[in-house]
Amino acid sequence: MRGAGPADAASAAQDAMAAARCWTGRVPDLRTWTYRVAAGGSRGRAVPESPLLNSWRNASGACGSVPARVAAALAPLAGLDPRQRRVLALAMESVPPGEIGYELTLPAHEVHRTLRDAGELLGAAPPDALDARLGALRAELAAALEPVLDLEAGLARLSGAIGSRLPVPPYGAPEPAAPRPGEVGAPGSGLRAYAAGLAARGIPYRMVERARFPVAELAAVRLGALFAFHTDRFRRDAERSGFPNSACDFTAVDARAFARALARDLAGAAPLFGAVTRSDAVRRAHHLASSLERDDPHTNEIAHDGIDLALALGEFRRRSLDLALQALSPRRGEGSALAEALSRCAFDAERVIVQLRTLSSDLSAVESTLPDGVYVDMARDFAAHEAYHLDLIHGIDAARDALSEGAAARSGP
């Protein structure tokens, strides 16, 4: 792998970890199926926290076996915080700002501001000068680290142990941060509340719950919620970009990069979950990306495309929740706390679909029957939908964590 670059090396490392999990015979936990591959799966993408860039934490001097020249090269960037470093790490791999915003769940204008700040620190303020400076910095880092990183020897040992065919982990979507108490998406009456209840129960109860937890079905639910969360991020920024003097600078270029990344990840996930394919979400995601070649993000055409994608994901999520409820047969947990939580989530899933259909109808009515100047608030349900998606994403995570803790305590050290 030497000479292929850090993204390919990180992709191989991720595949190796997936292979190791497979070979040890352990049942993969939910996150193996739904967390995004750090390097972007088989496509290969830079890892913000790669060994090449970890030395930023110690830019004031050499650390361990990393040559002092690395620290010297990175010294101008010592004042950047971890988020800014992640932005610059992806920019160093030529990832466009719109896609960086998608990957790191940041507004596009924050990405641009970070790049401007980094350019000033590196003495390369114009965008084209920054690109050239980042390329030179990456080459300097790679040259300095080549004697330290012996990737060939590591991969040779791995290949001799398990063979040359490594499983490619499933695709996912970037992870939103878990909300804190009092924020949107904090524990309410859904899956996060169920998970909080699990944490307060004893090990025997959690072991019973673990046996009937519908892992595969809820992995699909979580994945659908992840894609819906990012679809709504796009829709929110696209809507705001149409207002004069808006703080949201979501250009057509950034919107296209965001939409392409979202469509790419949906296409990667489709073969793993049949419900994704049947939901028509992949086709609608690609249609949204292609529409941005001719339409601005804030136009009604893009609004309709975004709603259509959100609807497809809503239908996928509802079907996946129905399957999860079916997995809870009367013998396995009908009437249980989990069944009640899933029933509430399924009810909310239907409510989201109705709201999206109503919004689409209102927008169509404005276009066809009402006078100019009438405005439909495209953002009217965003807060409620975000809370719902975050409850699904982090509630499933928290439930699996609580159930895994019970299993670990039972098995002992």
Side-chain angles (χ1 to χ4, degrees):
M1 297 294 290
R2 180 170 287 145
D8 288 336
S11 183
Q14 178 68 46
D15 288 350
M17 287 186 279
R21 180 180 288 276
C22 176
W23 248 259
T24 58
R26 293 178 56 197
V27 177
D29 72 15
L30 186 60
R31 299 184 186 194
T32 301
W33 289 95
T34 57
Y35 272 29
R36 107 178 268 94
V37 178
S42 57
R43 175 179 177 267
R45 194 155 51 242
V47 182
E49 296 295 333
S50 68
L52 190 71
L53 302 166
N54 275 340
S55 54
W56 277 353
R57 297 192 181 97
N58 299 280
S60 60
C63 60
S65 58
V66 178
R69 60 191 278 203
V70 174
L74 294 171
L77 305 175
L80 297 181
D81 61 34
R83 184 180 66 179
Q84 293 170 320
R85 294 172 186 176
R86 294 187 184 101
V87 169
L88 204 56
L90 290 172
M92 196 177 292
E93 290 296 316
S94 301
V95 179
E99 185 175 345
I100 293 176
Y102 167 76
E103 296 288 348
L104 301 182
T105 64
L106 291 173
H109 68 272
E110 288 191 23
V111 175
H112 286 287
R113 183 174 64 229
T114 296
L115 292 176
R116 286 194 298 269
D117 292 344
E120 292 176 359
L121 291 172
L122 293 169
D128 54 347
L130 176 60
D131 290 343
R133 184 70 183 89
L134 289 178
L137 178 59
R138 179 185 171 190
E140 172 71 11
L141 294 174
L145 286 171
E146 184 185 10
V148 179
L149 303 178
D150 194 349
L151 297 177
E152 288 176 352
L155 288 176
R157 290 176 58 191
L158 172 69
S159 197
I162 63 175
S164 59
R165 291 180 60 82
L166 298 177
V168 178
Y171 279 74
E175 297 290 323
R180 294 188 293 267
E183 292 182 337
V184 170
S189 57
L191 281 169
R192 294 195 78 200
Y194 165 73
L198 278 178
R201 301 298 292 265
I203 292 174
Y205 178 88
R206 279 185 276 170
M207 291 304 300
V208 172
E209 290 293 292
R210 185 173 186 267
R212 63 187 175 207
F213 196 78
V215 175
E217 293 83 358
L218 288 182
V221 171
R222 187 184 188 281
L223 193 68
L226 268 177
F227 286 124
F229 172 82
H230 291 291
T231 298
D232 285 355
R233 285 184 59 214
F234 174 90
R235 293 177 53 226
R236 187 197 301 264
D237 284 350
E239 172 73 2
R240 290 174 176 172
S241 70
F243 290 96
N245 303 320
S246 170
C248 178
D249 183 16
F250 197 49
T251 66
V253 173
D254 290 336
R256 280 196 296 272
F258 189 113
R260 286 171 182 162
L262 180 60
R264 176 202 65 222
D265 284 349
L266 260 169
L272 302 160
F273 294 97
V276 180
T277 306
R278 292 192 297 273
S279 73
D280 200 32
V282 175
R283 183 187 66 82
R284 292 183 180 184
H286 283 295
H287 182 71
L288 172 64
S290 63
S291 294
L292 286 161
E293 299 290 341
R294 59 181 183 275
D295 296 316
D296 288 326
H298 62 271
T299 60
N300 286 346
E301 290 79 8
I302 297 301
H304 276 301
D305 289 344
I307 294 171
D308 286 344
L309 175 56
L311 273 169
L313 289 167
E315 291 161 359
F316 162 52
R317 215 163 42 249
R318 179 183 59 185
R319 281 199 296 272
S320 299
L321 282 164
D322 288 343
L323 291 172
L325 279 166
Q326 291 172 24
L328 293 174
S329 64
R331 181 178 59 83
R332 300 182 65 203
E334 184 176 350
S336 67
L338 177 57
E340 292 176 5
L342 292 178
S343 296
R344 174 61 185 267
C345 293
F347 175 82
D348 289 341
E350 184 62 35
R351 179 168 53 85
V352 169
I353 291 173
V354 170
Q355 290 170 337
L356 287 169
R357 287 175 177 163
T358 302
L359 180 61
S360 181
S361 177
D362 289 350
L363 186 59
S364 296
V366 164
E367 293 175 314
S368 60
T369 62
L370 295 178
D372 292 342
V374 177
Y375 172 69
V376 175
D377 181 10
M378 300 296 295
R380 64 193 185 197
D381 297 315
F382 276 151
H385 293 185
E386 180 181 358
Y388 174 61
H389 298 144
L390 291 174
D391 178 79
L392 291 176
I393 295 165
H394 296 296
I396 293 171
D397 283 350
R400 282 293 296 177
D401 286 345
L403 296 175
S404 297
E405 288 171 7
R410 183 188 183 193
S411 61

